[in-house]
Amino acid sequence: MDLYYEVQGEGQTLVMLHGGGTDMRDWIFLTPLLSKNFKVVTVDARGCGKSPAPMEPSNYIEDVLSLMDHLNIEQATLVGNSIGGQIATEFSLSYPERVQNLILLSPSLSGFVHSPDLAAVFQSVQAVVPDVAKMTELTLAAPFYTVTSKSPQRHLMVEMTVHNIKKMLEWASPKSVWPKPPAIERLDQLHARTLFILGTLDFADCFRIAEHFRAVPNIRFAEIQGGDHKINLTHSEEVYTNIATFLGV
C-alpha cells in the first residue's frame, strides 16, 4: 500500500475520502468526534497530501479497494466530500458487498455536466498554471467557498490548497479512470443505505446533483444551515450529529 493513511478509534469502520485539492486534513475536526465511537480511516488520495504523485492515470476506486484489503476491512461505511463523494459512490456501485453505509457531503457525480459558470472557474484556475499563489487565490474565490473563505478555517484551506497545487504540478499524469457507464446513469442501482448532506449556501450545481440522487432507493437528505461546500470544516459539529444519528449512535 503506497498511499498514506491513518487509523484512529475502534468499532465500526469509517473510510474517509477527502475533496479535490485537499487531503486528509479535510477531516481534522470530524475525526476526533467520530473516533470516539468508530474506527476512522483517513487517507491521502493519490497525488495529494503525503501520498505519491500518480505516474499513470489514477484509479481512485481501485485505490480504495487496495486500502481496505491492506487493512483487512471486509466492509465499511464510506464518507466522502466533493470528489471523495464521487469516489465513494462509484466504489459502492462497483463493490456493493464491501459497503455498509454511504455518507456523502456535497458530492460530485460522474457524468454530471457542470454549469458554464463553474466551468469558467475551473478554466480561470487552469489559465494561471503554474502560478501557485494565483491558482490558490482563484480557487478560494470560487462560489463553493463563500463561507469557508471568510471563516476561521480559511488558513487551513489555504495551507491545503497551496500544498496540493504544488503536488499536482508534480503529477506525471493528470488523468483518472472511472467506471462506465457513469454513476449518474446508475444511481437507481445504488443499494447502500445513503445519507446525503448539503450546505444551504453551497453552489447551485450541488443542488442539481442532489436531485439526481433522489433515484437512490434508500437515501436520506440533510441540510446544514449556512454551510457551503466545506461543511466538514466549518460545521463539523452539525455534520457529526447527522452522521451519528444516521449510524445509530
Side-chain angles (χ1 to χ4, degrees):
M1 168 51 57
D2 60 345
L3 301 181
Y4 180 79
Y5 65 88
E6 295 179 359
V7 181
Q8 299 181 46
E10 297 180 353
Q12 177 186 334
T13 301
L14 309 184
V15 175
M16 316 291 285
L17 305 175
H18 63 77
T22 65
D23 48 52
M24 68 165 59
R25 287 175 287 177
D26 242 2
W27 310 114
I28 194 169
F29 302 118
L30 267 173
T31 297
L33 299 172
L34 291 168
S35 61
K36 294 176 183 177
N37 295 292
F38 303 100
K39 178 181 179 180
V40 181
V41 180
T42 52
V43 58
D44 286 335
R46 191 165 303 280
C48 300
K50 298 179 181 178
S51 288
M55 295 296 105
E56 56 187 23
S58 299
N59 190 322
Y60 301 113
I61 288 81
E62 294 305 309
D63 278 346
V64 174
L65 181 64
S66 296
L67 174 69
M68 291 178 63
D69 286 347
H70 175 74
L71 294 174
N72 296 313
I73 300 170
E74 188 60 34
Q75 196 175 56
T77 291
L78 301 187
V79 183
N81 168 243
S82 196
I83 195 171
Q86 179 172 325
I87 296 167
T89 299
E90 290 282 10
F91 184 91
S92 299
L93 287 165
S94 296
Y95 299 102
E97 72 283 358
R98 305 296 295 270
V99 180
Q100 189 171 3
N101 302 285
L102 180 61
I103 299 174
L104 305 171
L105 282 61
S106 305
S108 49
L109 176 63
S110 56
F112 177 80
V113 179
H114 285 289
S115 64
D117 286 348
L118 193 62
V121 171
F122 296 143
Q123 289 167 6
S124 70
V125 174
Q126 286 297 313
V128 297
V129 174
D131 187 334
V132 174
K134 191 63 176 177
M135 292 172 72
T136 300
E137 176 187 336
L138 291 171
T139 298
L140 293 184
F144 35 85
Y145 294 144
T146 55
V147 176
T148 307
S149 63
K150 298 175 183 177
S151 74
Q153 289 76 32
R154 176 184 173 83
H155 181 68
L156 173 60
M157 274 299 300
V158 170
E159 282 188 350
M160 285 196 289
T161 304
V162 168
H163 175 84
N164 288 294
I165 286 175
K166 289 179 178 178
K167 289 276 291 190
M168 183 185 68
L169 296 175
E170 299 172 359
W171 294 7
S173 173
K175 296 182 179 180
S176 52
V177 177
W178 297 97
K180 299 294 182 183
I184 196 170
E185 299 178 19
R186 298 181 288 137
L187 290 177
D188 60 334
Q189 301 170 33
L190 184 59
H191 296 300
R193 184 168 167 265
T194 302
L195 173 63
F196 189 113
I197 311 177
L198 187 64
T200 57
L201 299 181
D202 208 337
F203 66 106
D205 282 17
C206 277
F207 290 91
R208 292 171 54 212
I209 287 173
E211 288 303 310
H212 285 285
F213 269 89
R214 294 192 182 279
V216 175
N218 189 3
I219 190 166
R220 181 185 305 176
F221 291 90
E223 288 191 342
I224 303 296
Q225 292 297 318
D228 63 9
H229 205 57
K230 283 295 174 185
I231 49 177
N232 42 304
L233 294 181
T234 60
H235 293 71
S236 54
E237 292 278 355
E238 293 95 322
V239 171
Y240 168 73
T241 298
N242 277 279
I243 292 175
T245 300
F246 179 69
L247 297 177
V249 174

